[in-house]
Amino acid sequence: QVQLVESGGGLVQPGGSLRLSCAASGSISSINAMGWYRQAPGKQRALVAQIANGDITNYANSVKGRFSISRDNAKNSVYLQMNSPKPEDTAVYYCAAGEYFRSTYIFRHFGQGTQVTVSS
């Protein structure tokens, strides 16, 4: 069993910055990829960013150049630096963990989510 705990959500002004954190614990020996998804009201959960061992990253087009994903393997943690957020980035953000195999991410574990609201 893998546990993922997100933190750092809240209210941020458009053009500001916010950093989300996620700590993984439990049976994490097989985990070599982590990521962030988000779900806005009335919409399906969607990918924000992914990172695999070796710092292989992938971003949704809507956040490229504004958001940055990073990880600290020693702390079993992944981070999402959100710069210049927009109101349309408002959503519940979920941490994800899984495997990266043959250029494919497979996420099997998700956290409880943290609310991010972008508003002035």
Side-chain angles (χ1 to χ4, degrees), residues 8-11 18 20 39 90-93 113-117:
L11 176 65
L18 193 68
L20 304 183
Q39 186 168 18
T90 295
V92 177
Y93 283 70
T114 185
Q115 176 69 45
V116 173
T117 301

Side-chain angles (χ1 to χ4, degrees), residues 33-48:
M34 298 187 77
W36 291 93
Y37 283 71
R38 67 186 181 187
Q39 186 168 18
K43 295 187 177 181
Q44 291 188 330
R45 188 162 58 185
L47 169 70
V48 177

Side-chain angles (χ1 to χ4, degrees), residues 4-116:
L4 302 171
V5 179
E6 302 100 337
S7 61
L11 176 65
V12 60
Q13 291 187 344
S17 63
L18 193 68
R19 189 190 195 211
L20 304 183
S21 300
C22 172
S25 61
S27 303
I28 60 174
S29 59
S30 63
I31 301 299
N32 66 353
M34 298 187 77
W36 291 93
Y37 283 71
R38 67 186 181 187
Q39 186 168 18
K43 295 187 177 181
Q44 291 188 330
R45 188 162 58 185
L47 169 70
V48 177
Q50 305 163 320
I51 186 167
N53 284 352
D55 290 336
I56 300 169
T57 58
N58 181 48
Y59 294 91
N61 288 334
S62 59
V63 305
K64 282 182 180 178
R66 299 188 297 119
F67 292 7
S68 178
I69 188 170
S70 61
R71 64 188 295 177
D72 185 335
N73 291 331
K75 295 182 179 180
N76 298 317
S77 295
V78 65
Y79 308 96
L80 184 69
Q81 179 67 42
M82 303 171 61
N83 295 330
S84 300
K86 304 174 182 179
E88 51 263 43
D89 294 319
T90 295
V92 177
Y93 283 70
Y94 296 91
C95 178
E99 297 86 47
Y100 179 74
F101 180 69
R102 292 184 178 176
S103 301
T104 300
Y105 290 89
I106 303 172
F107 289 111
R108 307 182 190 277
H109 311 283
F110 291 85
Q112 294 298 306
T114 185
Q115 176 69 45
V116 173

